[in-house]
């Protein structure tokens, strides 16, 4: 049976490969109308539904009753209220041509490379447990088939499955996520493949649910009776956990790099949010519809030592439904692979744009326009980053033992990435937020999360066990799970409370205590009033040679893209031949185009290097205020 599973997986991956290749070909030919539909966009959001929601939701229900609903409720509430936050977030992303959540925060806070690098590091560390979760789920599900054939895949042998899965995902992601540098950083092939996977995992989960309700339990009536008589229905409800987990899921939906990638970066039209605002919650409802019946049936029919996380797979397999079991495996495989692919693309973009390129620019003495093929450097950095990110995920899987419940690993990862929430929300709604405040808040939140939740997730290591019991150096007030003497029944609530509360307080206090730079003031007006203005940084005219700008653009955008961009700009200026004049308008447009490939902070640095400007001047700010009627009310603040 395990051979059939392997063959089915290879065939399935091959189909995804051709789907992605077909979509890329259509995109290259300009036939993207179908690829840009709101339904593809909505289905791509299903990347939120990973192995946690396919396998882990049933295990969560079996252990904690109806509390599993919170992982669906949080994102649904965010989508229902899309006009409050998501509409503005997408508008800002389109205006600023951001390529990642790190790029957006960097652009908001003075195009800060240091903030972008910090956010990138946090995102990589915070996502690592989640990648490990996907590798663990695929390994556990494959071992279900292997063990029944006497192939005792213990930890050393079983982890070889995770190795091959990680290698295969790295190859697929590199092939379709880093083939070129798109100006808008959109990946039609990958998004289309993710949409296909969304359908597969939904149909697989519904198929198992239908089989359990009508094929095992005997219909809707008997199923409801069985649920009412089960221990699951008697599980006490913790209001604290419901509120905290719902908030955590909703906040993570905004901050997860992979969700930001499909929600903001891959968005073709802000109007797509209207469809997604009801269609995606409906998708989540369908994904959760049969969770409780499967959990209850699994608890009654499977052995006591059976893993509840695998009931979706083991229940039909134990009933002799081998075909359905293989289909269920492919559904879980789709859930895991879609997450890893999109997360790897998002994180590799952040690493290349905000860590590799700034270092390259700093240590290269030849300048941005003559520094070699920047395009190749970025692509190579992204490919190596993908391999490194998956290696980190596998390393966490091995070090943590791979034995924790899927849901608990997912919640630890969620708590890490939501440390970006105060800076993200404050940045687009509060003009007084400053770069120093954002860096301080994110830093302290990251450290507290790492100490209270991430380190304890590694299990019973000798040193960690001593710290967990007695605190570091015997100081009980610094115990990771009773910090400052405040003990909590739930370590997750404890870690989330301290990390996020201190994060937000530090962000607000430091922002109120520090003064924004001139560039930050311009960007704050741009972000806070995104619905009424599309303003970016103003460059001084005539301070750069068009030839140097052309050379730099060719190295990043490619020869044909750069030529088209410069030709259109020249035509707008009324020039029939030659290069456009380096006017303020053209430099602003060029910076945005470059930002689509290398990020706002790096694009700003590269244009500034050639233009010869290192910061915006007071004269520039006054010019912006004079030329843009929408920000006249802020002119006094800008002059200050």
């Amino acid at each position: 049976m395990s051979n059939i599973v392997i063959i089915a997986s290879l065939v399935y991956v091959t189909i995804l490969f051709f789907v992605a290749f077909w979509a890329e070909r259509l995109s290259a030919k300009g036939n993207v109308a179908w690829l840009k539909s709101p339904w593809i966009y909505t289905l791509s959001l299903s990347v939120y539904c990973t192995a946690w929601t396919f396998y882990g939701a049933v295990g969560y229900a079996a252990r904690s009753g109806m509390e599993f609903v919170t992982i669906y409720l949080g994102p649904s509430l965010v989508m229902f209220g899309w006009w409050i936050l998501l509409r503005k977030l997408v508008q800002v992303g389109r205006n600023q041509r951001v390529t990642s959540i790190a790029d957006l925060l960097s652009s908001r806070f003075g195009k800060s490379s240091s903030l972008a690098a910090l956010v990138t590091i946090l995102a990589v560390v915070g996502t690592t447990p989640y990648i490990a979760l996907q590798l663990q789920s695929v390994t556990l599900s494959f071992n279900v088939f292997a063990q029944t054939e006497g192939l005792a895949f213990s930890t050393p042998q079983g982890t070889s499955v995770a190795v091959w899965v990680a290698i295969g995902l790295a190859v697929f992601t590199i092939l379709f996520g880093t083939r070129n540098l798109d100006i808008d950083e959109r990946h039609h092939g990958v998004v289309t493949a993710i949409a296909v996977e969304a359908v597969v995992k939904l149909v697989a989960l519904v198929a198992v649910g239908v089989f359990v309700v009508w094929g095992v339990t005997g219909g809707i009536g008997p199923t409801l009776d069985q649920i009412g008589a089960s221990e699951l229905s008697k599980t006490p409800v913790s209001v604290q956990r419901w509120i905290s987990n719902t908030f955590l899921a909703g906040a993570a939906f905004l901050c997860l790099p992979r969700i930001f990638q499909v929600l903001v970066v891959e968005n073709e039209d802000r109007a797509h949010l209207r469809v997604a605002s009801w269609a995606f919650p409906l998708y989540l409802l369908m994904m959760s519809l049969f969770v409780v019946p499967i959990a209850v049936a699994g608890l009654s029919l499977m052995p006591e030592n059976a893993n509840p996380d695998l009931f979706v797979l083991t229940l039909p397999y134990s009933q002799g439904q081998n075909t359905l079991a293989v289909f269920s495996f492919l559904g879980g495989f789709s859930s895991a692979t879609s997450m890893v692919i999109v997360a790897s693309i998002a994180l590799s973009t952040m690493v290349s744009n905000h860590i590799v390129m700034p270092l390259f620019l700093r240590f290269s003495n030849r300048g941005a326009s003559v520094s070699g093929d920047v395009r190749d450097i970025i692509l190579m950095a992204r490919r190596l980053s993908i391999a490194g990110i998956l290696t980190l995920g596998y390393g966490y899987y091995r070090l943590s033992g791979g034995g924790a419940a899927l849901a608990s690993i997912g919640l630890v990862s969620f708590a890490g990435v939501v440390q970006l929430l105060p800076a993200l929300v404050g940045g687009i709604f509060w003009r007084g937020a400053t770069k120093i405040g954002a860096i301080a808040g994110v830093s302290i939140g990251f450290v507290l999360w790492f100490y209270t939740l991430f380190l304890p997730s590694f299990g019973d290591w000798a040193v960690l066990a001593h710290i967990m019991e007695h605190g570091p150096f015997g100081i009980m007030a610094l115990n990771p799970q009773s910090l400052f003497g405040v003990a909590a029944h739930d370590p997750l609530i404890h870690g989330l409370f301290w990390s996020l509360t201190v994060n937000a307080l530090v962000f607000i206090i430091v922002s109120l205590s520090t003064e924004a730079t001139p560039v930050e003031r311009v960007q704050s007006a741009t972000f806070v009033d995104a619905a009424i203005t599309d303003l970016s940084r103003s460059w001084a005219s005539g301070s750069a040679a068009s030839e140097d700008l052309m050379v730099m653009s060719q190295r990043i955008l490619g020869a044909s893209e750069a030529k088209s961009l410069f030709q259109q700009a020249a035509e707008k200026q009324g020039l029939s031949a030659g290069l456009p004049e380096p006017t303020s308008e053209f430099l602003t447009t060029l910076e945005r185009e470059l930002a689509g490939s290398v990020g706002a902070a790096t694009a700003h640095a590269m244009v500034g290097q050639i233009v010869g400007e290192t910061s915006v001047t007071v004269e520039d700010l006054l010019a912006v205020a004079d030329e843009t009627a929408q920000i006249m009310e802020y002119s006094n603040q800008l002059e200050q």
Side-chain angles (χ1 to χ4, degrees):
M1 192 68 185
S2 59
N3 290 332
I4 296 176
V5 172
I6 294 173
I7 294 173
S9 301
L10 292 175
V11 171
Y12 179 67
V13 171
T14 303
I15 293 173
L16 289 181
F17 183 93
F18 282 109
V19 167
F21 182 75
W22 168 74
E24 289 281 349
R25 290 288 299 272
L26 287 181
S27 177
K29 294 178 180 179
N31 300 327
V32 293
W34 181 75
L35 301 177
K36 292 182 178 180
S37 75
W39 302 110
I40 295 294
Y41 176 71
T42 300
L43 288 173
S44 70
L45 295 176
S46 71
V47 72
Y48 174 79
C49 299
T50 64
W52 177 11
T53 47
F54 190 87
Y55 291 124
V58 173
Y60 199 167
R63 297 181 181 96
S64 306
M66 295 300 294
E67 194 177 291
F68 81 95
V69 173
T70 58
I71 64 179
Y72 302 98
L73 185 59
S76 296
L77 293 175
V78 172
M79 292 304 299
F80 284 141
W82 66 277
W83 65 89
I84 299 174
L85 182 58
L86 293 184
R87 178 178 60 171
K88 192 167 191 177
L89 194 62
V90 170
Q91 183 63 49
V92 167
R94 292 174 65 83
N95 289 352
Q96 298 294 315
R97 304 184 73 86
V98 299
T99 59
S100 64
I101 190 169
D103 195 22
L104 181 136
L105 291 173
S106 164
S107 182
R108 162 61 179 88
F109 294 102
K111 311 204 173 181
S112 169
S113 297
S114 57
L115 177 60
L118 173 64
V119 172
T120 299
I121 293 171
L122 185 152
V124 170
V125 176
T127 307
T128 295
Y130 220 99
I131 293 176
L133 185 154
Q134 313 311 312
L135 299 179
Q136 175 180 330
S137 68
V138 174
T139 301
L140 290 175
S141 57
F142 180 80
N143 285 348
V144 168
F145 298 99
Q147 289 171 352
T148 58
E149 300 172 1
L151 302 176
F153 276 72
S154 58
T155 299
Q157 296 165 311
T159 51
S160 64
V161 176
V163 171
W164 286 111
V165 171
I167 292 174
L169 291 175
V171 172
F172 184 91
T173 308
I174 289 171
L175 284 176
F176 290 100
T178 62
R179 297 182 68 184
N180 49 52
L181 288 180
D182 185 75
I183 291 176
D184 293 315
E185 214 39 85
R186 295 191 175 106
H187 309 83
H188 294 294
V190 170
V191 170
T192 305
I194 298 305
V196 171
E197 290 193 301
V199 175
V200 171
K201 59 191 176 188
L202 176 61
V203 173
L205 192 56
V206 170
V208 174
V210 169
F211 166 72
V212 169
V213 172
W214 281 275
V216 175
T217 310
I220 297 178
T223 299
L224 294 177
D225 293 339
Q226 188 179 46
I227 293 173
S230 69
E231 292 296 323
L232 186 149
S233 63
K234 302 173 185 176
T235 304
V237 175
S238 171
V239 177
Q240 282 186 329
R241 279 193 62 87
W242 269 74
I243 295 175
S244 63
N245 287 0
T246 301
F247 168 79
L248 184 58
F253 186 74
L254 293 170
C255 299
L256 284 167
R258 70 178 189 275
I259 300 296
F260 190 91
Q261 178 73 31
V262 294
L263 184 67
V264 178
V265 179
E266 304 286 351
N267 179 272
E268 298 281 358
D269 188 344
R270 196 176 66 177
H272 290 174
L273 282 173
R274 291 191 180 91
V275 175
S277 66
W278 62 266
F280 183 62
L282 180 61
Y283 181 91
L284 293 180
L285 176 63
M286 295 296 295
M287 287 290 292
S288 63
L289 192 60
F290 293 101
V291 167
V292 172
I294 295 173
V296 170
L299 290 173
S300 64
L301 296 176
M302 300 301 295
E304 289 188 7
N305 61 348
N307 186 350
D309 286 325
L310 297 175
F311 281 169
V312 175
L313 178 63
T314 55
L315 193 55
Y317 193 46
S318 67
Q319 302 297 312
Q321 299 293 322
N322 294 347
T323 302
L324 182 58
V326 173
F327 189 31
S328 175
F329 173 85
L330 291 180
F333 186 73
S334 294
S335 302
T337 55
S338 60
M339 176 271 160
V340 175
I341 290 169
V342 179
S344 299
I345 290 174
L347 293 175
S348 67
T349 300
M350 293 162 67
V351 170
S352 66
N353 289 358
H354 306 302
I355 294 180
V356 176
M357 284 306 299
L359 291 175
F360 175 77
L361 290 173
R362 174 171 294 183
F363 294 107
S364 176
N365 298 321
R366 294 175 291 174
S369 61
V370 292
S371 58
D373 196 343
V374 177
R375 182 189 183 89
D376 287 345
I377 293 173
I378 296 171
L379 289 175
M380 181 56 66
R382 293 186 182 182
R383 289 162 183 164
L384 293 176
S385 298
I386 289 170
I389 288 162
L390 284 166
T391 301
L392 286 175
Y394 176 73
Y396 181 92
Y397 168 70
R398 290 297 303 269
L399 291 174
S400 65
L406 298 182
S408 63
I409 299 176
L411 290 172
V412 168
S413 183
F414 273 18
V417 295
V418 300
Q419 301 307 318
L420 303 178
L421 185 67
L424 178 66
V425 176
I428 62 177
F429 286 108
W430 182 30
R431 290 190 296 275
T434 67
K435 175 184 70 176
I436 298 177
I439 292 176
V442 171
S443 298
I444 191 67
F446 176 55
V447 170
L448 288 174
W449 164 79
F450 191 89
Y451 183 65
T452 60
L453 289 173
F454 186 78
L455 283 181
S457 71
F458 280 99
D460 298 328
W461 286 9
V463 176
L464 289 176
H466 181 271
I467 292 176
M468 297 287 289
E469 184 176 355
H470 305 288
F473 309 107
I475 305 174
M476 282 302 296
L478 298 180
N479 187 306
Q481 296 187 340
S482 58
L483 205 59
F484 308 128
V486 180
H489 177 69
D490 191 318
L492 175 68
I493 296 178
H494 172 268
L496 179 65
F497 170 78
W498 279 116
S499 60
L500 203 57
T501 301
V502 176
N503 179 343
L505 288 175
V506 169
F507 170 60
I508 294 171
I509 292 171
V510 175
S511 291
L512 292 173
S513 306
T514 55
E515 186 176 350
T517 64
V519 178
E520 285 183 70
R521 292 174 185 169
V522 174
Q523 289 299 94
S524 68
T526 306
F527 275 64
V528 174
D529 298 307
I532 61 173
T533 182
D534 182 12
L535 178 67
S536 186
R537 188 212 194 279
S538 176
W539 294 98
S541 301
S543 56
S546 296
E547 291 79 6
D548 292 339
L549 294 171
M550 181 66 173
V551 171
M552 178 185 68
S553 301
Q554 286 178 329
R555 297 192 184 284
I556 297 174
L557 304 177
S560 59
E561 290 86 350
K563 181 180 178 181
S564 175
L565 174 64
F566 276 65
Q567 191 172 30
Q568 291 176 7
E571 292 175 356
K572 287 183 179 180
Q573 295 177 5
L575 303 175
S576 57
L579 297 174
E581 293 293 329
T583 62
S584 174
E585 180 183 0
F586 172 67
L587 292 175
T588 299
T589 301
L590 178 61
E591 181 187 352
R592 289 184 181 178
E593 296 296 328
L594 297 176
S597 292
V598 297
T602 301
H604 176 72
M606 299 180 80
V607 174
Q609 187 178 44
I610 293 178
V611 171
E613 296 183 22
T614 56
S615 64
V616 76
T617 64
V618 175
E619 289 77 12
D620 288 332
L621 294 177
L622 294 175
V624 170
D626 289 337
E627 293 170 1
T628 311
Q630 288 90 337
I631 63 167
M632 283 297 292
E633 59 183 297
Y634 309 119
S635 60
N636 291 331
Q637 298 179 29
L638 295 176
E639 289 173 17
Q640 294 174 5

